[in-house]
Amino acid sequence: EPTETKWMDYGKDHYATITFDNAPEGRHVGIAWMSNWQYANQVPTKQFRSANSIARDFGLFEYNGETYCSVSPAKEMDAVRGQRVSSPTETCEIVVQLRGDAQLPLRNAKGERVVITHDAAEQTIDFDRRRSGDVSFSEAFPCIVTSPTYGQIKTLRIFVDRSSIEIFDADGKMAMTNLVFPSDPYNKLVVKGKAKATIYKLKF
């Protein structure tokens, strides 16, 4: 008898998830289409209309007597973590250790940016893409989205690609998938507040 909508992902661009039958080790694995029908036919891309998300492992967790779907990067993503680097690259994983309130602006030399904010007291993660790059193609695109964290969280895993950012709590209590269209890759991360970030290149 559910009393609330229990989203698998609180971003704007997580749609049409496909799950796999008979996955190894009895795992529940899924991949989503990173898009939104508010602007799916208007995104500023050529020859494709958004990519698939990274593969995710699904499970269950309990919070305040309610059961929720946990979402974590599939363990195979560990194999594409490359060398540690000092600045974000076009494709990278950012691992953030949280100790309280924190703000993580990710930007490029042209001033385009996204801002990820953790509010420990409110138990939320915000993602602001209003100045992320090209946002002109749809009034629905420039926005701030918010995810509950269902209690305190300690580690974020942030996967940055050319036109997407996927954020996960390492323990699976929140996921957020959002498209972005910067004119140049984001190459600078400023950590504000009680957090520490480590950046890894992704290898494919």
Side-chain angles (χ1 to χ4, degrees), residues 25 38 49 69 82 97 100 113 116 158-159:
E25 305 165 23
Q38 288 181 313
R49 285 290 179 261
C69 178
Q97 303 298 330
R113 65 184 182 270
I116 300 163
I158 304 170
F159 291 85

Side-chain angles (χ1 to χ4, degrees), residues 33 40 43-52 162-163 179 181:
W33 179 44
V43 292
T45 59
K46 295 180 179 179
Q47 300 175 333
F48 78 105
R49 285 290 179 261
S50 302
N52 289 332
R162 183 171 297 181
S163 58
L179 294 176
F181 298 102

Side-chain angles (χ1 to χ4, degrees), residues 90-101:
E90 189 170 54
T91 55
C92 63
E93 180 186 357
I94 303 170
V95 179
V96 181
Q97 303 298 330
L98 296 168
R99 299 185 301 276
D101 291 347

Side-chain angles (χ1 to χ4, degrees), residues 159-181:
F159 291 85
V160 180
D161 205 346
R162 183 171 297 181
S163 58
S164 64
I165 297 178
E166 300 173 70
I167 306 171
F168 302 88
D169 165 46
D171 293 326
K173 294 194 293 182
M174 64 78 60
M176 183 181 285
T177 303
N178 292 293
L179 294 176
V180 289
F181 298 102

Side-chain angles (χ1 to χ4, degrees), residues 25-188:
E25 305 165 23
R27 291 160 58 200
H28 304 283
V29 182
I31 292 178
W33 179 44
M34 293 191 291
S35 199
N36 187 317
W37 282 116
Q38 288 181 313
Y39 42 74
N41 291 319
Q42 300 166 266
V43 292
T45 59
K46 295 180 179 179
Q47 300 175 333
F48 78 105
R49 285 290 179 261
S50 302
N52 289 332
S53 71
I54 64 173
R56 297 144 186 248
D57 283 326
F58 299 136
L60 298 172
F61 70 94
E62 300 286 330
Y63 179 70
N64 285 349
E66 290 280 342
T67 302
Y68 298 88
C69 178
S70 66
V71 182
S72 304
K75 64 179 184 178
E76 286 79 8
M77 289 301 298
D78 295 343
V80 302
R81 182 184 286 181
Q83 67 183 11
R84 183 173 172 175
V85 293
S86 59
S87 300
T89 59
E90 189 170 54
T91 55
C92 63
E93 180 186 357
I94 303 170
V95 179
V96 181
Q97 303 298 330
L98 296 168
R99 299 185 301 276
D101 291 347
Q103 192 174 74
L104 308 165
L106 184 62
R107 65 183 66 192
N108 61 22
K110 295 185 177 181
E112 298 166 344
R113 65 184 182 270
V114 299
V115 181
I116 300 163
T117 303
H118 174 238
D119 188 317
E122 294 294 324
Q123 299 183 2
T124 57
I125 295 288
D126 289 348
F127 185 92
D128 183 347
R129 68 175 181 191
R130 291 174 297 175
R131 299 176 183 173
S132 57
D134 188 353
V135 299
S136 63
F137 55 90
S138 169
E139 293 182 355
F141 193 83
C143 64
I144 302 174
V145 288
T146 301
S147 172
T149 61
Y150 301 109
Q152 299 300 319
I153 58 175
K154 297 179 180 179
T155 305
L156 290 180
R157 297 181 66 185
I158 304 170
F159 291 85
V160 180
D161 205 346
R162 183 171 297 181
S163 58
S164 64
I165 297 178
E166 300 173 70
I167 306 171
F168 302 88
D169 165 46
D171 293 326
K173 294 194 293 182
M174 64 78 60
M176 183 181 285
T177 303
N178 292 293
L179 294 176
V180 289
F181 298 102
S183 54
D184 284 333
Y186 303 122
N187 58 6
K188 184 177 182 180

